[in-house]
Each structure stands twice: as C-alpha cells, then as structure tokens.
C-alpha cells in the first residue's frame, strides 16, 4: 500500500503541476499572499527538510460530531507546494464518520487506504454520482462541485486526497449557512426551513 501511495502522489505531481519559471518557490509566509500565491524564500536558506512533510504520520484522535479528523497539506502547512498547483489531505473517519457536503475551487482525487467509504458528488443538474469505495479504489471530484464521504464500514477508515491547487480552499455548505454571520431570517428564507429549525442549526454550529 505504501508503494501505491508513493506512485499516486508522484503521478499527480507530474500531471497536475503548473509551469513556473524557477525550479521551485517555497512560500515566504512572513509576507502577504498574493493572487498567485506567496513570494519565494531565498533558495540559499532552504534545506531538504523544506521539501518534506511528515504531518500524515501516526494515528488520529477523533472527537468532533461528524466523526472525522482532517489533516491538511496545503501551502500554509507545507510551504514547498507554493506555485506547484497541488496539495493533499489525509481524511480519517471514525465508525459512521462523515466529511459533510463541501466544495473546493479545485478538482480532487481520493484514494482509500483503510476501511470502506461511500464517496460522491452532486453536479449542477442535481444528479448524484456516488460509489462504495474499498481499499485502493480511486474517485475524482470535479472542480467546485459539492461532494462528500461517509464511512460505511464497521471499522475506522482512512483516505488521502490530492487537489490541483496549492490553496484549494474548503467551503462546507452547512457551516456557510448556519455557522457564519448570515442573519437567521435570511437563512430561513433561502433554505425554506422554519425559524425553529434554523435556530437549532445555528446553535449546533455555535452562532446562536
């Protein structure tokens, strides 16, 4: 399985990276991020450690209500990704755990390394494409499309994803509707939910 993950990562780096005019541009996070990413650190200050990310090692403790633990390797966590057009994340699921409906501004590939999950996306025609994925199965989620993952096995599950952007963002639909500063009366109007249900959801997401 380790060899498969190495091949998966290497293939994505080759296929999804964007051309840049220098060999690399490790992010200088002491400076503001621009529309094309961060400015580059001085190559003379870099070592091999700057190109290695160890954040996916080890087990995970899952304590949140959705029953997941997401470990990001976006440019803010792994500055060497700056300008390369790629990022990764590790998804850990407790039994019954979910990654709720969300979207990114980039496309995503997922590979299951442990357990069994249902993964899917919903296109702009409201057609759902979903499948039970087992270990070593791969699925693609197109750019900006709503998608989700659910652990349907009897044991914890783990998957790894890669996205074709160093900072692809994550927007959870429920958090956007109920976890931000959108007033309850507007939320009620645009979701067709009752005021009582809107307030229940806002309390669940900590804004009421």
């Amino acid at each position: 399985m380790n060899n498969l993950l190495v091949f998966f990562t290497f293939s994505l780096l080759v296929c999804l990276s964007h051309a840049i005019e220098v060999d690399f541009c490790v992010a200088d996070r002491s400076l503001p991020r621009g529309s094309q990413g961060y400015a580059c650190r001085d190559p003379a200050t870099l070592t091999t450690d700057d190109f290695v990310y160890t954040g996916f090692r080890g087990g995970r403790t899952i304590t949140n209500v959705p029953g997941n633990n997401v470990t990001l390797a976006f440019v803010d966590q792994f500055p060497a990704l700056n300008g390369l057009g790629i990022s990764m994340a590790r998804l850990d699921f407790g039994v019954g755990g979910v990654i709720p409906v969300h979207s990114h501004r980039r496309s995503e590939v997922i590979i299951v390394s442990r357990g069994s999950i249902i993964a899917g996306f919903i296109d702009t025609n409201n057609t759902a494409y979903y499948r039970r994925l087992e270990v070593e199965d791969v699925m693609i989620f197109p750019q900006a499309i709503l998608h989700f993952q659910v652990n349907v096995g009897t044991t914890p599950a783990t998957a790894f994803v890669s996205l074709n952007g160093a900072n692809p963002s994550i927007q959870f639909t429920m958090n956007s509707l109920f976890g931000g500063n959108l007033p309850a009366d507007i939320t009620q109007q645009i979701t067709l939910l009752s005021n009582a249900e809107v307030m229940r959801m806002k309390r669940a997401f900590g804004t009421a």
Side-chain angles (χ1 to χ4, degrees), residues 60-81:
R60 295 295 187 273
T61 300
I62 297 173
T63 59
N64 61 13
V65 172
N68 69 56
N69 187 301
V70 178
T71 305
L72 299 179
F74 291 3
V75 68
D76 283 341
Q77 295 79 31
F78 191 9
L81 296 176

Side-chain angles (χ1 to χ4, degrees), residues 3-207:
N3 289 337
L4 178 63
L5 288 174
V6 170
F7 174 77
F8 172 70
T9 305
F10 176 78
S11 298
L12 286 171
L13 282 168
V14 171
C15 295
L16 299 179
S17 62
H18 298 288
I20 55 177
E21 295 185 4
V22 292
D23 290 339
F24 43 78
C25 179
V26 176
D28 185 344
R29 295 185 58 223
S30 68
L31 299 174
R33 174 191 284 152
S35 61
Q36 299 300 313
Y38 288 102
C40 307
R41 282 180 51 192
D42 181 354
T45 69
L46 302 176
T47 69
T48 302
D49 287 343
D50 291 299
F51 300 94
V52 176
Y53 180 74
T54 61
F56 290 159
R57 292 181 182 178
R60 295 295 187 273
T61 300
I62 297 173
T63 59
N64 61 13
V65 172
N68 69 56
N69 187 301
V70 178
T71 305
L72 299 179
F74 291 3
V75 68
D76 283 341
Q77 295 79 31
F78 191 9
L81 296 176
N82 190 47
L84 296 180
I86 190 170
S87 58
M88 295 187 71
R90 169 178 167 164
L91 313 180
D92 287 276
F93 305 80
V95 176
V98 305
I99 306 291
V101 173
H102 64 285
S103 63
H104 311 278
R105 50 178 168 249
R106 299 295 184 185
S107 300
E108 176 180 332
V109 179
I110 187 171
I111 182 169
V112 179
S113 64
R114 179 178 62 149
S116 178
I117 68 173
I118 285 179
F121 65 89
I122 304 167
D123 72 8
T124 55
N125 293 316
N126 296 322
T127 300
Y129 298 86
Y130 57 95
R131 179 67 56 85
R132 182 171 181 141
L133 303 180
E134 308 294 345
V135 172
E136 300 185 4
D137 287 347
V138 175
M139 187 172 183
I140 183 75
F141 307 121
Q143 175 177 318
I145 295 293
L146 295 173
H147 57 285
F148 58 88
Q149 296 91 27
V150 183
N151 182 4
V152 292
T154 58
T155 62
T158 302
F160 292 87
V161 301
S162 187
L163 303 100
N164 62 336
N167 182 38
S169 79
I170 306 173
Q171 183 174 23
F172 286 99
T173 305
M174 301 298 281
N175 296 69
S176 296
L177 288 171
F178 304 107
N181 64 345
L182 191 65
D185 58 336
I186 296 178
T187 305
Q188 181 180 348
Q189 290 176 308
I190 65 175
T191 61
L192 305 182
L193 296 174
S194 68
N195 179 262
E197 183 64 12
V198 168
M199 296 310 297
R200 185 186 74 82
M201 294 296 290
K202 280 187 167 290
R203 287 192 294 272
F205 286 89
T207 58

